Amino acid sequence: MTAPAAPYLEGLNPEQKICVEAPDGPLLILAGAGTGKTRTLTARIAHLLATGRARGSQILAVTFTNKAAKELRARAENYAGGGGGGGVFLSWAGTFHSMGARILRHHAELVGRRSNFTILDASDQQRLVKDLLKSANIDPARMPPALAHHLIERWKDRALAPDQIPSEEKQAHDGRIIKIYRAYQDQLKNLNAMDFGDLLMECLRLFRDAPEILEQYQNRFSHIFVDEYQDTNVAQYLWLRLLAAREKNLCCVGDDDQSIYGWRGAELGNILRFEKDFPGATIIRLERNYRSTGHILGGASAVISHNGSRLGKTLRAQEGDGDKIRLIRAHDGKDEAQRVCREILTLREKRVSLDEIAILVRSTAQMRSFEEEFLDLALPYRIIGGARFYERAEIRDIIAYLRLIAQPDDDLAFRRIVNVPKRGLGAKSVLCLTQAARDEGASLLDACSLHEDSLKPSGLKSAAIRKLRDFAAMIKRFADHKDALPLETLAEKVMDESGYRRMWAETKTPDAETRLDNLAEMLRACGEFDSLEGYLEHVALVMEIEAEAGGERVSLMTLHAAKGLEFDAVFLPGWEEGLMPHIRALTQDGLRGLEEERRLAHVGMTRARRNLYVGCADMRLIHGFWQDCLPSRFIAEIPQEHVEILPIAQPFGAEPVASAPLFSPSEGGAEEASEEESSLFSVGARAHHKIFGAGTVSRVEGKKVTVRFDDPPSEKTIMAGFLIRLPDGDSQGSSNFVMTGK
Ligand code: ATP
Ligand code: MG
C-alpha cells in the first residue's frame, strides 16, 4: 500500500520533485521565468518540515520583498501544517534587511548601538551626507551630496567599511569621500542609527569579531533558502556564505536573465561562483514554463536572446500558443493611457478580475497619466511599492503653494511650504508667527504682513520678519495673477519663482530627477484645467477616491517592483527609445546598461500569463518638452509571428500623423471610423459609463441611448457622447473597439 502523495508534491514535474526531495547539501536551481522556482523552493521547505528534517525556527528563508516573504511563509506553513502537524511557524523568513536588523538588535552593543537603533530611510541618509559635506566645507557643486551618498552605498554593497577600502579607491575625489564616509559612520553611531547597507555590513563585522556568535547562528539555521539569488550583492553573498559554512544546506534559486539590480551592486558572478564555493553542489535546471502562453514566452525568449552575456537556456510553454502579444500604438502618453484603460475595460467584460491586471512602467513619471485615466473611468487601482502621484512629496508641496494662493487662510498649506525651499524660516520662526497670528486672530499668511509692533512681542527678529514679508509678497504676487494666467503658466511660475524647481535641480540625486519629471507631469495635468479652483477640487477628490479601500483593483507599479509576481494580463507602456531602454542606463553604463534594460524588459514580459500588451507613443512630454519618440528596439526584437498590432485610431479632432515604422514599412495601421457617436450603439451592444459602469443598450433614439446597467441593476438614458462602446459579450478577441468622447 502506498501512502498518498504529500500535498506539496502534487502537480510537480519530475525535475521539480528532484529539487524538493534532494538530500541535504548545497543546491542551486538555475532556471528561467515562470518555471516554478519559487513554488519548488516553497515545496522543499514544506518537505523538510513535514518529514521532520527541520523545525520552522531552524529555517532561514530570504526573499526580495516583504510581500514575497509573507507569501512564502503562508504557503510553506500551510503545506506543512496540512499534513496534520499544524502549528508550523517560519520565524526567520524575510528580506535580507529585515533578517540583518533582527540579528543586530540582539547584539547591538557589540556593534556600538543600542538595541532600539533607528533605521534611516534614504532621505535621512542623504540629509546626513549633505550636512557632513557642508561642515567639511566641500563645495556641493564639486561634490554633490547624492554622488557622495551613492559612492558610500556602493562601498557598503561590497561590505567595505572605511578601513577596508582598497587604496586606489581611497584616492578618488582627492580622498575626500573616504573622509566623509568615516564621518558618516561616526555620525550614525552617535545617532544610534543604521542605514540599509549597515544592516548587512555590521552583521558581517559582528560575525567576524565575535566568532562564537556566528557559530550560534550557524547552529541555529540548519537550512537556508534564497529566492531571486541573481540579485544578491557582495555583502549579501558573504553573509549567506558565512551562515551556511557549517551545515552547507544552502538552497538558492535564480535566473541570470532576470538580474536587474546591477546598478545597486548585484553581482551575477555570485551565481556562477556557487559551484566553486560549495563543491559538490547539485545544480538543477527547469525548462518548462507554467506561467505564460506560447506567444508571450516566444516573444520574451527572443528579446532576451539578444543579450550577449548570458548562460542561455530553453524555455518550453506548457500551455498552448494563446493570444499574440498586442501592440498598442498611441499618439502620446495620454492617448496611450486611454487605450490601455479601454483594453482593461474589455478584459473586465471578459471576466478577467482587475486584481489580475497590471501595468508595469519603467519610470514612475509614467504613472500619472494612468492614474488620471483610472479616476476618469472610475477604475479602482493600487500602486505597489510607491506613493501614488498626488501623494508624492513634491506634488503635495506645489499643491500646498496653489492652495495658499487660492485660499490665504490655509495655514496647513502655509506650514508645509513656508520653508520649502529653505528661506531661513525654521520651526522657531513659524512658532513665533503662530503666536502672533493667534493674538491678532489672523491667518499665518496675513500675520506675515502685520506691523512689526505686533510681531516682535512673539519673539520674531527683524530678519525673520523681513523674510516672512518677502514670502507673503510672493504669494500675493501669484494670487494677483491667478485669474489672468492659464493654470499651467501660474503653476510653472510658482515652481520657478519660489525656487522650488531649482532646489531639486541642484540636488542631483537620482530621485531628484524623478521629482523633476513628476513636476513636469503635474504641469501637464494643470494644462487640462480651466481654473485653479477646479484643479484643486479635482485633486481633493482624487485623494478621497484613493482613500476608499476594498474590492478588485488594477495594479500599477514599476518593472523593478514586479519581480517574481504574475498576472493574467500585463501592460508594458512606454516602450520607446530613451524610456525603455532608459537613456540613463545607456549613457551611464553603455552596453552593460543596455543588457540590464533588456533583462528588465524580459522580466516585464514574463509576468504575463495570457495577455500581454506592449505600448509605445509617437510623442511624449519629457522634462516638460514634447519629444518625438522612436519605438523601442526591444519591440523590433519580438518576432512578428508573436505580435498583433492593434489598429491605430485617431483621437477625436486629430490629424493623422505619420508614425515611425515598428518592424518594416509593410504593415499599415487601419484607419478609424468617424461615425456619428450614436450610430456606434445598437440594441444589445455593450457600453461603459464612468459612473454607472458596464451595461447593455436597450434603446437608441437619435443621440440618446438607453442602457440597462449590470451592477447595481438600473436603466438610464444617456447621451451617446458619455458612453464608451465595449466589444459585444460574445465577440472573441476583437479588442479594438471605438471610443467616443468622454
Ligand atoms: P520567476 O522567475 O518569475 O520568479 P518562478 O520560476 O519563481 O518565476 P513560480 O512563480 O514558482 O515561477 O511559478 C510560476 C507559475 O507556474 C505559478 O503560477 C506556479 O503555481 C505555476 N507552476 C509551477 N510549477 C508548476 C507545475 N509543476 N504544474 C503547474 N503549475 C506550476
Ligand atoms: Mg519566483
Side-chain angles (χ1 to χ4, degrees):
M1 202 173 75
T2 50
Y8 51 82
L9 288 175
E10 245 162 62
L12 294 188
N13 68 39
E15 301 82 47
Q16 291 174 327
K17 268 191 200 150
I18 292 176
C19 299
V20 171
E21 298 179 320
D24 282 354
L27 174 65
L28 175 65
I29 306 176
L30 192 53
T35 50
K37 294 184 298 296
T38 303
R39 177 160 166 185
T40 305
L41 181 145
T42 315
R44 183 167 167 85
I45 294 178
H47 180 68
L48 292 184
L49 296 170
T51 53
R53 254 158 71 192
R55 290 191 308 278
S57 60
Q58 292 178 301
I59 288 177
L60 172 68
V62 246
T63 63
F64 216 78
T65 61
N66 286 311
K67 184 168 183 280
K70 216 167 100 186
E71 236 168 74
L72 180 137
R73 200 156 51 209
R75 274 209 273 173
E77 287 172 3
N78 181 35
Y79 275 152
V88 176
F89 186 55
L90 282 180
S91 44
W92 287 88
T95 60
F96 279 104
H97 288 151
S98 65
M99 297 294 101
R102 186 149 163 213
I103 292 175
L104 286 171
R105 288 206 194 276
H106 278 118
H107 314 280
E109 72 292 351
L110 293 177
V111 292
R113 307 290 198 280
R114 293 182 301 283
S115 69
N116 61 350
F117 61 81
T118 320
I119 300 171
L120 295 186
D121 69 14
S123 67
D124 295 332
Q125 296 167 24
Q126 288 195 8
R127 202 168 321 124
L128 199 60
V129 172
K130 202 168 165 178
D131 291 348
L132 290 170
L133 285 166
K134 204 163 160 196
S135 36
N137 274 326
I138 297 179
D139 180 3
R142 294 192 53 205
M143 172 49 65
L147 177 62
H149 178 239
H150 174 82
L151 293 172
I152 292 174
E153 275 191 310
R154 296 295 79 80
W155 274 325
K156 290 193 177 183
D157 284 339
R158 290 155 63 203
L160 295 174
D163 50 354
Q164 296 168 307
I165 312 279
S167 50
E168 64 279 10
E169 288 181 47
K170 273 190 194 158
Q171 302 316 318
H173 301 277
D174 304 335
R176 280 175 306 181
I177 301 282
I178 183 91
K179 282 198 199 109
I180 294 296
Y181 186 13
R182 248 189 218 112
Y184 175 78
Q185 289 306 94
D186 290 344
Q187 189 68 349
L188 286 179
K189 219 175 201 174
N190 294 340
L191 293 169
N192 189 32
M194 299 226 185
D195 64 11
F196 295 131
D198 282 349
L199 295 176
L200 287 157
M201 195 175 78
E202 292 296 327
C203 229
L204 286 172
R205 192 154 64 125
L206 171 74
F207 291 161
R208 198 188 52 215
D209 294 350
E212 69 286 357
I213 289 178
L214 171 63
E215 214 182 303
Q216 198 183 312
Y217 284 97
Q218 286 173 332
N219 290 337
R220 171 194 289 262
F221 300 129
S222 65
H223 295 80
I224 300 177
F225 291 83
V226 189
D227 198 358
E228 310 278 2
Y229 185 60
Q230 74 278 357
D231 283 322
T232 48
N233 62 27
V234 171
Q236 292 161 337
Y237 164 78
L238 293 173
W239 187 83
L240 287 170
R241 205 174 62 172
L242 278 180
L243 285 173
R246 214 180 109 100
E247 299 288 335
K248 301 202 169 40
N249 290 327
L250 178 63
C251 169
C252 298
V253 312
D255 176 9
D256 57 310
D257 286 336
Q258 294 187 67
S259 154
I260 54 175
Y261 281 100
W263 56 285
R264 245 164 51 178
E267 301 259 334
L268 210 50
N270 295 341
I271 284 198
L272 308 174
R273 211 172 336 174
F274 193 87
E275 251 182 312
K276 237 195 241 142
D277 286 334
F278 297 96
T282 310
I283 299 186
I284 298 181
R285 289 176 174 267
L286 305 173
E287 295 190 337
R288 300 186 218 190
N289 174 297
Y290 291 93
R291 181 179 293 142
S292 312
T293 43
H295 284 301
I296 296 175
L297 196 62
S301 303
V303 169
I304 198 66
S305 74
H306 285 79
N307 267 6
S309 51
R310 59 192 289 257
L311 301 172
K313 59 175 77 79
T314 7
L315 279 181
R316 294 193 306 272
Q318 290 305 108
E319 311 249 344
D321 280 348
D323 289 349
K324 290 191 174 181
I325 300 171
R326 299 211 172 90
L327 233 152
I328 300 177
R329 194 75 194 267
H331 300 280
D332 54 31
K334 185 179 170 67
D335 183 37
E336 180 185 53
Q338 288 185 339
R339 275 169 218 281
V340 165
C341 288
R342 275 156 186 73
E343 290 293 337
I344 291 176
L345 292 177
T346 309
L347 289 167
R348 187 162 73 172
E349 278 291 288
K350 293 179 182 162
R351 304 264 172 274
V352 178
S353 158
L354 295 185
D355 287 336
E356 282 300 337
I357 300 175
I359 301 177
L360 312 180
V361 295
R362 176 65 185 87
S363 134
T364 48
Q366 286 171 268
M367 289 183 177
R368 197 200 59 89
S369 4
F370 289 99
E371 290 189 70
E372 298 286 347
E373 202 53 31
F374 289 149
L375 294 165
D376 226 28
L377 294 171
L379 265 176
Y381 71 100
R382 67 169 74 85
I383 290 191
I384 296 187
R388 294 192 273 197
F389 190 75
Y390 286 106
E391 288 165 13
R392 301 207 166 96
E394 63 279 15
I395 303 302
R396 298 186 70 157
D397 286 342
I398 298 302
I399 301 268
Y401 274 100
L402 294 177
R403 271 168 47 188
L404 194 58
I405 292 164
Q407 222 274 84
D409 289 342
D410 193 334
D411 285 356
L412 278 176
F414 180 98
R415 280 174 202 284
R416 182 171 179 106
I417 41 98
V418 63
N419 204 29
V420 180
K422 293 233 160 38
R423 304 188 169 91
L425 291 167
K428 181 138 177 289
S429 305
V430 176
L431 200 71
C432 298
L433 181 72
T434 309
Q435 185 59 47
R438 202 172 294 144
D439 292 346
E440 297 287 325
S443 69
L444 291 176
L445 186 64
D446 287 342
C448 296
S449 320
L450 288 172
H451 195 273
E452 288 213 352
D453 294 347
S454 313
L455 288 173
K456 285 224 158 130
S458 69
L460 277 169
K461 299 271 177 316
S462 302
I465 293 176
R466 211 169 37 245
K467 289 174 192 154
L468 286 169
R469 296 240 152 100
D470 288 348
F471 176 74
M474 177 179 72
I475 298 293
K476 172 142 192 331
R477 207 169 56 239
F478 293 146
D480 290 344
H481 284 106
K482 102 178 148 70
D483 296 320
L485 289 178
L487 177 60
E488 194 177 350
T489 318
L490 177 72
E492 187 155 26
K493 212 171 151 63
V494 169
M495 289 179 193
D496 289 339
E497 292 180 18
S498 67
Y500 190 83
R501 205 141 61 167
R502 193 173 349 111
M503 171 182 88
W504 284 117
E506 286 169 0
T507 310
K508 298 262 184 287
T509 56
D511 74 304
E513 285 189 48
T514 310
R515 290 174 201 271
L516 289 170
D517 283 353
N518 286 337
L519 291 175
E521 270 298 300
M522 182 183 184
L523 285 180
R524 209 169 71 77
C526 287
E528 290 163 20
F529 290 82
D530 297 335
S531 72
L532 174 59
E533 288 74 16
Y535 180 62
L536 290 175
E537 188 177 298
H538 169 77
V539 173
L541 218 65
V542 168
M543 302 288 231
E544 193 181 11
I545 292 181
E546 296 193 340
E548 286 172 19
E552 292 177 5
R553 277 148 192 269
V554 179
S555 300
L556 181 57
M557 69 189 96
T558 62
L559 286 159
H560 281 97
K563 202 159 86 127
L565 304 181
E566 59 185 19
F567 301 89
D568 281 344
V570 169
F571 291 84
L572 304 172
W575 277 34
E576 297 130 30
E577 285 295 308
L579 187 53
M580 180 77 202
H582 202 282
I583 182 83
R584 212 139 55 208
L586 301 186
T587 48
Q588 283 172 7
D589 292 319
L591 182 62
R592 245 188 38 219
L594 172 65
E595 296 211 333
E596 182 148 312
E597 293 290 293
R598 196 179 272 116
R599 289 193 292 270
L600 198 53
H602 179 72
V603 167
M605 295 175 84
T606 52
R607 296 311 95 201
R609 289 200 194 98
R610 19 198 89 252
N611 294 104
L612 176 63
Y613 300 78
V614 174
C616 69
D618 291 331
M619 292 190 295
R620 197 173 286 275
L621 196 66
I622 294 171
H623 297 298
F625 297 100
W626 281 104
Q627 296 190 0
D628 286 333
C629 307
L630 283 176
S632 165
R633 68 190 83 189
F634 301 151
I635 292 181
E637 290 170 4
I638 308 175
Q640 287 193 44
E641 76 240 38
H642 297 306
V643 182
E644 170 192 348
I645 300 178
L646 295 186
I648 302 185
Q650 302 303 336
F652 284 93
E655 291 294 317
V657 282
S659 301
L662 291 168
F663 299 102
S664 57
S666 61
E667 35 65 31
E671 68 304 329
E672 199 41 70
S674 62
E675 300 160 73
E676 258 298 294
E677 289 170 349
S678 56
S679 69
L680 297 171
F681 298 98
S682 52
V683 173
R686 298 283 292 162
H688 174 89
H689 183 271
K690 69 186 217 180
I691 295 172
F692 307 120
T696 308
V697 174
S698 56
R699 199 167 46 157
V700 183
E701 214 178 319
K703 290 192 166 188
K704 287 194 231 162
V705 179
T706 306
V707 184
R708 213 173 297 130
F709 290 103
D710 305 343
D711 186 26
S714 65
E715 194 167 59
K716 296 204 160 52
T717 302
I718 285 166
M719 297 301 286
F722 291 98
L723 292 168
I724 293 168
R725 168 79 199 268
L726 294 171
D728 297 330
D730 51 9
S731 76
Q732 283 296 313
S734 88
S735 40
N736 47 313
F737 52 92
V738 183
M739 85 200 202
T740 72
K742 282 189 298 194

